[in-house]
Amino acid sequence: MATLMALSLPVLLLCLPLCSFSRPLSHSSPSSSFKIALIHRDSPYSPMRDPSASASDLFRLSAQRSLSRLQHFQSVLTGKSSPSKLSSEVKAGPSEYLMRVGIGTPAEPYWLIADTGSDLTWTQCLPCSNCFEQKAPIFDPKSSSTYLSLNCSSTLCQNLKNNRECGGSSCQYDYHYGDTSATSGKLSTETFTFETPQSTLTSLKAIVSVNPSFSLTTTPSSDPIKTSTSATFSTDPGTGAKINGLGFGCGSSNTGSFGTNGEAGLVGLGGGPLSLNSQLGSSISNKFSYCLASRHDTNATSVLNFGENADISGLNVSSTPIINSEQFPTFYFLDLTDISVDKQRLGIPPGTFDLTETGDGGFIIDSGTTLTLLPAVAVELLLDKFNDIVDFPSIRNPPSPFEKCYKVADYRKITGLPDITFHFSDDADWNLEPSNLFYPLQEDVICLAIVTTGDAGPFIFGNWQQQNMVVEYDLGENRLSFAPAHCSQLQGAMI
């Protein structure tokens, strides 16, 4: 049994000596920061992992999910998906990382997907006219003393814009994803308690079971926020980060690929007004960050920080603007200007990654997509440069969706592969070593985790390239900062 608790531990293990947090965790202001453990869906601790699948199988499926992810983004930005040789061969949920969340009062535990490419947080709710099978009991609003259904005049309902219906007194939402998944129901508010596993790796294994079961120690509130429509949170020893009045979708009809492996919904971390981070706003200093541990280290977990914990500073920190789009506020667009291979610029034509008024193009950083997806002109230049530098023999007809795979003696003992640098505006250079570029598909085969989408955008900076980097989203200043980090060392503070 595990207890949700607030973190007051320092998090300097995240970056030292590579970078440091600009402000230490403030014990006098416990409501300014909280942390959440992120579990990759293919981790041994995830209820979604297929224990019979090989490491190669898991990455192939992860690569295919990247393509479903692209289809979702295309459908949002342009109203349609662009079929190509990258069409997905598998049904896939919309993201790669999970978190454990308690919903309601008393809190019931659920696995929810953490998604920087979506805004609305939602879970399945009773009564359910069309729900997918999930391992945890479906959330029953009648069992919670803090549940509140919102009406159509509420600010959160107004923020739904085209995704709402206002027949009757309650606000009805309707969300569709690019892989034909969908959720609809009542927009509501509820108390959410975010779990932070603690103590040792052994305890995490106990917490993260196939059929999760844990107890929540909660502090009764004198005001059950039955009339509140703005989210606030507190952190108390023994309770974790409890967010009161968080707007969420209480889904009574949910279809598609959700729930196929144990998840019960989604936590939106996008830039729109309905996301978790946007609802918390100034109470978390409009900041969050994550540090994604290497997936080569199967025992490592990743971490999501909110508030002062998210701040990073130091000589190795780079910063670039987050480009806001009024038309597409959910996504975090960046200004990618060029790419270098082994310190040689490719000379990608200016404007290649620009977002157009019709929703084509644009370069999105996303934690829920494994592969990095680039336009054909960029990948062709990239591969031409690789052909000049890399001496390993290429694999003929590499498995889809990969563009380039090499035959090697042993992937653990490789030298002679080049670094790649992504050049962002404001002289922010994101350097990628081979471990962030190639996936060992087999003992003797490595594949480049960068593929082309043809000419159809958007283009995406995926999570394989973001491993072992701390990435800060300052949504008050619209800046993305990043620095090298040993993310697996967070286990000392997280679990």
Side-chain angles (χ1 to χ4, degrees), residues 318-338:
S318 299
S319 179
T320 190
I322 295 174
I323 301 172
N324 287 324
S325 169
E326 292 186 8
Q327 190 176 2
F328 309 111
T330 298
F331 303 120
Y332 299 112
F333 292 98
L334 303 179
D335 181 21
L336 178 63
T337 59
D338 204 354

Side-chain angles (χ1 to χ4, degrees), residues 283-354:
S283 65
I284 56 166
S285 303
N286 294 295
K287 295 177 182 180
F288 72 93
S289 70
Y290 51 72
C291 199
L292 304 180
S294 172
R295 284 164 59 188
H296 294 296
D297 184 355
T298 58
N299 290 325
T301 57
S302 302
V303 62
L304 177 64
N305 285 292
F306 292 88
E308 292 184 355
N309 281 353
D311 278 348
I312 58 173
S313 67
L315 296 177
N316 291 323
V317 176
S318 299
S319 179
T320 190
I322 295 174
I323 301 172
N324 287 324
S325 169
E326 292 186 8
Q327 190 176 2
F328 309 111
T330 298
F331 303 120
Y332 299 112
F333 292 98
L334 303 179
D335 181 21
L336 178 63
T337 59
D338 204 354
I339 299 172
S340 292
V341 177
D342 208 18
K343 297 182 172 57
Q344 301 176 51
R345 291 209 175 220
L346 299 180
I348 298 172
T352 298
F353 300 99
D354 290 352

Side-chain angles (χ1 to χ4, degrees), residues 51-240:
S52 66
S54 67
S56 176
D57 291 336
L58 290 173
F59 191 75
R60 287 173 191 257
L61 292 173
S62 183
Q64 292 293 345
R65 287 194 295 271
S66 295
L67 310 183
S68 285
R69 186 77 164 170
L70 172 64
Q71 292 173 358
H72 165 53
F73 285 5
Q74 287 174 338
S75 68
V76 173
L77 293 171
T78 66
K80 61 182 185 301
S81 296
S82 299
S84 69
K85 76 183 185 76
L86 296 182
S87 58
S88 178
E89 298 173 2
V90 297
K91 282 192 172 184
S95 197
E96 296 288 292
Y97 288 89
L98 304 170
M99 61 175 70
R100 289 262 283 172
V101 182
I103 304 177
T105 305
E108 296 292 335
Y110 296 95
W111 282 103
L112 301 182
I113 293 168
D115 192 356
T116 56
S118 297
D119 289 330
L120 181 69
T121 295
W122 63 269
T123 191
Q124 298 196 115
C125 288
L126 296 175
C128 200
S129 61
N130 186 20
C131 276
F132 53 76
E133 184 178 351
Q134 64 180 51
K135 293 177 180 177
I138 294 174
F139 178 67
D140 185 358
K142 292 182 180 179
S143 67
S144 172
S145 64
T146 47
Y147 174 82
L148 176 68
S149 175
L150 295 178
N151 60 39
C152 290
S153 62
S154 66
T155 300
L156 288 176
C157 186
Q158 297 299 314
N159 287 332
L160 279 171
K161 297 182 178 179
N162 296 330
N163 298 105
R164 71 175 182 204
E165 295 180 5
C166 282
S169 59
S170 63
C171 176
Q172 301 287 323
Y173 76 91
D174 188 11
Y175 263 63
H176 291 262
Y177 298 87
D179 67 345
T180 72
S181 298
T183 176
S184 61
K186 291 182 179 181
L187 189 67
S188 309
T189 63
E190 184 55 281
T191 295
F192 280 62
T193 308
F194 289 89
E195 179 186 30
T196 302
Q198 54 173 324
S199 133
T200 65
L201 190 60
T202 301
S203 69
L204 181 62
K205 290 179 179 178
I207 294 168
V208 187
S209 58
V210 174
N211 296 298
S213 175
F214 65 72
S215 63
L216 297 174
T217 303
T218 58
T219 302
S221 171
S222 59
D223 178 6
I225 55 132
K226 278 291 185 181
T227 59
S228 173
T229 58
S230 60
T232 61
F233 79 89
S234 62
T235 53
D236 296 313
T239 66

Side-chain angles (χ1 to χ4, degrees), residues 70 352-353 361-365 373-376 453-461:
L70 172 64
T352 298
F353 300 99
F363 191 75
I364 297 170
I365 182 170
L373 308 174
L374 299 178
T453 63
D455 295 324
F459 311 111
I460 301 172
F461 194 62

Side-chain angles (χ1 to χ4, degrees), residues 309-443:
N309 281 353
D311 278 348
I312 58 173
S313 67
L315 296 177
N316 291 323
V317 176
S318 299
S319 179
T320 190
I322 295 174
I323 301 172
N324 287 324
S325 169
E326 292 186 8
Q327 190 176 2
F328 309 111
T330 298
F331 303 120
Y332 299 112
F333 292 98
L334 303 179
D335 181 21
L336 178 63
T337 59
D338 204 354
I339 299 172
S340 292
V341 177
D342 208 18
K343 297 182 172 57
Q344 301 176 51
R345 291 209 175 220
L346 299 180
I348 298 172
T352 298
F353 300 99
D354 290 352
L355 176 66
T356 68
E357 291 183 359
T358 59
D360 293 315
F363 191 75
I364 297 170
I365 182 170
D366 180 45
S367 65
T369 305
T370 296
L371 302 178
T372 285
L373 308 174
L374 299 178
V377 61
V379 173
E380 289 170 3
L381 291 169
L382 183 70
L383 295 183
D384 286 345
K385 191 67 67 176
F386 266 66
N387 291 336
D388 295 338
I389 297 174
V390 179
D391 292 330
F392 296 110
S394 297
I395 301 294
R396 286 189 177 184
N397 302 316
S400 177
F402 300 107
E403 306 282 337
K404 178 66 73 173
C405 296
Y406 294 106
K407 185 78 172 179
V408 297
D410 184 344
Y411 77 85
R412 290 171 290 260
K413 303 174 183 178
I414 297 177
T415 59
L417 290 172
D419 291 355
I420 291 180
T421 301
F422 280 66
H423 302 287
F424 296 101
S425 58
D426 287 4
D427 297 319
D429 290 345
W430 192 312
N431 185 63
L432 300 169
E433 297 180 351
S435 61
N436 286 90
L437 293 172
F438 291 92
Y439 185 82
L441 202 60
Q442 299 173 15
E443 289 271 330

